[in-house]
Amino acid sequence: MKNIFLAFSFVCASNFLFSQRFSEKIDSLIQTKFNEHEGPGGVFLISQKGKPVYEKAFGLANLELNIPLHPNNVFEIGSMTKQFTSVSILMLEQQGKLKVTDFISNYIPDYPNGNNITIHHLLTHTSGIKNFTKIKGLSEISQKEMTPQMMVDFFKNEPVDFKPGEKFEYNNSGYIVLGYIIEKVSGETYEDFIRKNIFEKIGMIHSYYASDRKVIKDRAYGYHQKNDGFVNKSVISFSVPYASGSLMSTLDDMLKWQIALNQNLLLNQKESIKAFTKYKLNNGEEIEYGYGWHLKNINGIPTREHGGSIFGFKSMGVYIPGKDIYVLGFSNCDCNSPTQVVKDIAELALKNLQ
């Protein structure tokens, strides 16, 4: 019994030392980029098999009140919203209410060239529709309350960049159209659909359609960096980024999201596969994008990735399905992107976590 106890104690001590060394390596890696103790910072999560193995915050959540960031702070996640939009479309397909092969003219009859652009083209950024974030008049509407139809009307008559399926070019407009289709098919607002069918269903109780007016518990405040220091983020109407970038969440809620995807709590296996398939252009060239995720790799090991950027915030997530490792990083200053840090953490996690 004494030998068994000694062996058990040795294993526990070894595991503790390994965990401590791993945590210190991650701390050091993050602090090469997020080292502003009296400024905004970031929060980071590493999970394995659905369980957090590292979760830590750096910097301040509110500069005026000198409140430190905490791993449970709520951040705007920007274009990581696209994951929720694409899964919502697949949920509606699963219910038999639409097909990704449908032309968008089925839902928006007056959309120019809508009888040649499919929902699939919108999901994969291969539609050729003009990206609304590149249109000069954007600043004129950025603080206005826009309906989904008003947003679609803002860009629909712009000259297309290429024929549907001809190229991959990252495009926020396509996801605006997808949000509008979700509303038309479901009979609910995009905000209500996401809340009822995703957030409430899987227990994402700290996730929201973004608002600067609502009181949101544990909100992290967003900042820009100027030559003379940090300033509060520019105000926008979240009806503008809408289904392309309007959601807020926490590290733990996003882990619930990843677990729900893995366990097919929202989509059956057939629909899930569609989200994580690399698709091809008209000429047969394969693109590294599914429906709402970049499909890349770390040293040949497949990953599912996506980041986000919106005034005052940046986000990045990397999931490694073969190892069930999920790495997340949120920043509350758009001056400091977590993208490369998260990728580097994911590579380190692959080497260290069994």
Side-chain angles (χ1 to χ4, degrees):
M1 284 297 292
K2 185 178 179 181
N3 288 339
I4 293 171
F5 176 76
L6 288 172
F8 177 74
S9 299
F10 176 76
V11 169
C12 288
S14 297
N15 287 341
F16 174 77
L17 288 172
F18 169 79
S19 177
Q20 190 175 38
R21 283 196 297 267
F22 178 64
S23 182
E24 287 170 357
K25 285 180 184 178
I26 301 300
D27 287 352
S28 178
L29 199 161
I30 292 169
Q31 287 172 325
T32 59
K33 182 86 172 175
F34 290 81
N35 54 13
E36 183 71 57
H37 300 297
E38 296 183 0
V43 297
F44 296 86
L45 167 84
I46 307 169
S47 75
Q48 185 180 32
K49 297 178 182 176
K51 303 292 183 184
V53 297
Y54 178 97
E55 200 168 7
K56 202 171 280 190
F58 303 81
L60 299 179
N62 185 298
L63 303 193
E64 288 99 333
L65 301 178
N66 199 40
I67 297 173
L69 277 166
H70 189 276
N72 67 3
N73 282 129
V74 178
F75 285 73
E76 292 172 30
I77 63 172
S79 284
M80 290 184 79
T81 297
K82 291 180 173 68
Q83 300 174 14
F84 295 87
T85 302
S86 65
V87 167
S88 296
I89 288 287
L90 292 173
M91 289 170 76
L92 290 169
E93 181 173 64
Q94 187 170 282
Q95 294 167 16
K97 295 179 178 178
L98 56 73
K99 293 180 181 177
V100 295
T101 52
D102 289 344
F103 293 108
I104 63 174
S105 56
N106 293 13
Y107 306 97
I108 312 172
D110 64 342
Y111 200 98
N113 202 33
N115 57 348
N116 289 312
I117 302 169
T118 63
I119 290 174
H120 168 83
H121 290 132
L122 302 176
L123 289 163
T124 55
H125 303 282
T126 58
S127 68
I129 294 171
K130 180 70 69 179
N131 191 348
F132 80 88
T133 57
K134 296 180 179 178
I135 297 175
K136 287 183 179 179
L138 181 60
S139 60
E140 297 171 15
I141 66 163
S142 63
Q143 294 184 359
K144 293 181 180 179
E145 193 61 31
M146 303 286 284
T147 65
Q149 183 172 344
M150 288 166 68
M151 278 305 302
V152 170
D153 289 345
F154 177 68
F155 56 76
K156 75 177 185 182
N157 292 312
E158 292 286 324
V160 298
D161 291 330
F162 50 86
K163 293 178 181 177
E166 191 173 85
K167 289 172 62 179
F168 168 87
E169 196 166 292
Y170 191 82
N171 189 315
N172 291 289
S173 296
Y175 276 74
I176 298 292
V177 179
L178 289 170
Y180 191 28
I181 291 172
I182 289 166
E183 294 202 2
K184 281 178 165 285
V185 171
S186 70
E188 298 181 275
T189 65
Y190 175 82
E191 177 179 359
D192 285 346
F193 185 91
I194 297 292
R195 177 175 52 80
K196 292 176 186 177
N197 295 283
I198 298 179
F199 292 165
E200 291 180 359
K201 187 170 183 179
I202 62 176
M204 294 178 69
I205 59 175
H206 302 295
S207 300
Y208 313 90
Y209 190 95
S211 168
D212 283 328
R213 291 183 60 80
K214 289 179 183 175
V215 175
I216 294 174
K217 191 176 186 300
D218 295 322
R219 177 203 295 272
Y221 287 78
Y223 298 93
H224 307 297
Q225 188 171 28
K226 302 294 184 182
N227 292 334
D228 57 349
F230 296 105
V231 298
N232 288 302
K233 73 177 182 73
S234 301
V235 174
I236 62 166
S237 166
F238 292 102
S239 63
V240 175
Y242 180 51
S244 73
S246 64
L247 298 183
M248 306 176 77
S249 194
T250 64
L251 295 175
D252 288 350
D253 269 12
M254 288 300 290
L255 178 54
K256 289 179 181 179
W257 166 243
Q258 185 58 55
I259 292 168
L261 294 170
N262 290 349
Q263 295 181 353
N264 297 119
L265 300 181
L266 299 170
L267 296 175
N268 61 32
Q269 191 170 9
K270 179 184 175 184
E271 295 295 334
S272 292
I273 289 170
K274 290 184 179 183
F276 307 121
T277 295
K278 290 183 180 179
Y279 292 100
K280 293 182 179 180
L281 300 175
N282 297 342
N283 63 4
E285 179 187 342
E286 188 177 74
I287 61 172
E288 292 185 319
Y289 203 89
Y291 291 168
W293 279 267
H294 295 278
L295 303 173
K296 299 192 176 184
N297 71 86
I298 296 174
N299 300 325
I301 297 172
T303 61
R304 301 168 185 169
E305 309 178 4
H306 218 288
S309 182
I310 193 166
F311 289 159
F313 296 90
K314 287 187 181 288
S315 61
M316 183 63 184
V318 173
Y319 180 64
I320 307 166
K323 300 290 184 180
D324 196 6
I325 293 171
Y326 191 33
V327 182
L328 271 173
F330 297 155
S331 167
N332 66 327
C333 181
D334 53 20
C335 61
N336 225 354
S337 172
T339 298
Q340 192 57 51
V341 172
V342 166
K343 289 183 177 182
D344 291 343
I345 293 172
E347 188 170 359
L348 194 62
L350 265 176
K351 293 175 183 176
N352 287 271
L353 300 178
Q354 300 302 317

